[in-house]
Amino acid sequence: MEYKLKLALPAPDAADWVQSLTRIPALAQHKAVQQQLHDIYYDTPQETLHRQGMALRLRRAVNGETTQWWQTLQIGVGSGAALNRRGEWEAAVPDAALDAGILADTPWSKLDPRASLYAALQPCFSTQFSRTIWTVSHRNVSAVTVALDIGHIVAGDTRAALCEIELVLLAGDTGALFTLAKEIATAVATLPLDTGKAARGYALARNTMRAPRHARPPALTAELPKAVAAQRMLRESFSHFTSNLNALVYSDDPELVHQARIGWRRFKTGLKLFHKLAATRPPADMQSLRPVLEALGALRDLEVASLETLPMLANGFTDGNPSRQARWRAMQQALAQAAEQQRDKLHAALGDPRVGVTLLALTQWLENDLTQLAEAAISNPDHTLQDWARRNIRQWHRQLKTALANAHDLESTHRARILAKRLRYGIDALRPLLPKRRARRWHLLASHLQNDMGSARDVQQALAIANRLKVAPSLLDYLRGVAVGRKHAT
């Protein structure tokens, strides 16, 4: 069983990472070892191993003038957490060829008793990277290897940058991983990384590596203790958030911004749901995340205005008039420039080491503290999850109804919209535990309210942005009229 913690470095073009890490006190007193690694991953055309949470690779490791080939089977790949627990079976092989005999002494024999799967294996992607390794021990209690990997993932004719740190536990408990990771994250900007090289290789082969990560329902059943449900829900939403943050380092896709914000809102919804449960209050001070969250919000407002709200209103203003068309184009150019500047602010915020330290602390809380709580709850289950879920969703529905009855101005309407989102996210996560018809009806209500109120708010936001950008007065007058009409309609 291998315990590995992965950190992404959100500056893949940096050439001095070895020097930066060598200056960290915990690493400075240990000699670094250099390796050149080339991995070839195998699977069937149907990706059978990937669907089973497995990975099979051949690795060529070059240390100076010495070359060695290794065959590795991994099980438990793609856990959806930066701290990965997985089984690993590794053995030396003479050359670049898979050895079926080695697999016979692993769980492979149960998966493929007739060797039909083995016969269908073929190379599907590869990785090529330089690895710098430090081995750090602490008072004979713990030992951790720190590996800096810089290179590429290759699938066919496509390549993707690889720039990350892996911390692997050799001895001691997982707290040693987080202690060392915190020292690293304090010195250099990092982000928790919950996808391994294999998962990213499959995504690159499918051309989905930079695709937005959408929400996935946590696996909940009525028999689960509340502590287990809390960890599953919070882990999923936190992964939703950090996965999209990592992708934003490489891509300007507006949907990444949208999904990152949804992931954070779902995480906050989970904290709200489980706030009375002992030990489900994160110890980390999340104030350091505020610049990132504010930059995401400002960028999202600009992108919604530029790409969604204003294009639908263009014909109503321009009406084929060349002068009005010129004013509209000038506004669109100003919006694009403002969005680019805001994107730079977001990247700068992500480059602040305090962000990585806070996200790492939340990762440790999710993977260590909540794991201990969940394990204790499993040995003494409470069997009240379903009643608890239904009671909380009923309460949130009542709060939304009260807010709607008192929604008479922009502020109170915005409050009602926030409660509609919270109800929708809560139902999404707890749906297996709720009455089907009621959950479907309330979810539809919350979705409609969110969309209708959001449409009016989007026009108001577009007007506010246009006002800040000092667009033509006639254009501002037009947007004010539209905003008033949407407000009354809502």
Side-chain angles (χ1 to χ4, degrees), residues 57-86:
R57 75 172 185 230
L58 281 175
R59 165 170 287 178
R60 184 185 68 198
V62 180
N63 299 294
E65 298 182 358
T66 303
T67 300
Q68 176 65 63
W69 284 91
W70 299 88
Q71 177 175 300
T72 307
L73 174 67
Q74 298 171 334
I75 296 180
V77 176
S79 67
L83 178 65
N84 192 259
R85 306 166 177 84
R86 68 186 184 193

Side-chain angles (χ1 to χ4, degrees), residues 152-208:
H152 292 87
I153 303 173
V154 181
D157 296 329
T158 58
R159 293 160 63 92
L162 190 159
C163 190
E164 65 188 38
I165 297 172
E166 290 187 353
L167 297 94
V168 179
L169 187 65
L170 301 179
D173 59 36
T174 55
L177 289 175
F178 285 102
T179 299
L180 186 52
K182 181 179 179 181
E183 187 168 348
I184 294 171
T186 302
V188 298
T190 62
L191 291 174
L193 183 62
D194 61 7
T195 53
K197 296 181 182 69
R200 280 173 280 159
Y202 283 106
L204 182 63
R206 300 192 212 104
N207 196 31
T208 60

Side-chain angles (χ1 to χ4, degrees), residues 289-369:
L289 299 182
R290 185 168 295 280
V292 170
L293 299 172
E294 289 178 349
L296 285 169
L299 181 55
R300 176 62 181 166
D301 287 341
L302 285 163
E303 289 176 337
V304 168
S306 177
L307 302 175
E308 299 177 21
T309 306
L310 292 174
M312 295 188 297
L313 306 177
N315 290 336
F317 177 76
T318 58
D319 195 26
N321 184 299
S323 175
R324 287 173 171 260
Q325 289 172 344
R327 275 173 270 170
W328 193 272
R329 284 194 300 271
M331 179 183 66
Q332 287 291 85
Q333 290 169 0
L335 278 168
Q337 184 178 5
E340 188 63 32
Q341 292 171 349
Q342 191 60 48
R343 198 170 288 112
D344 290 342
K345 289 182 181 180
L346 173 60
H347 288 162
L350 289 172
D352 185 343
R354 290 174 296 179
V355 172
V357 170
T358 300
L359 294 176
L360 185 63
L362 288 172
T363 300
Q364 182 174 12
W365 169 69
L366 280 168
E367 301 305 324
N368 277 7
D369 298 0

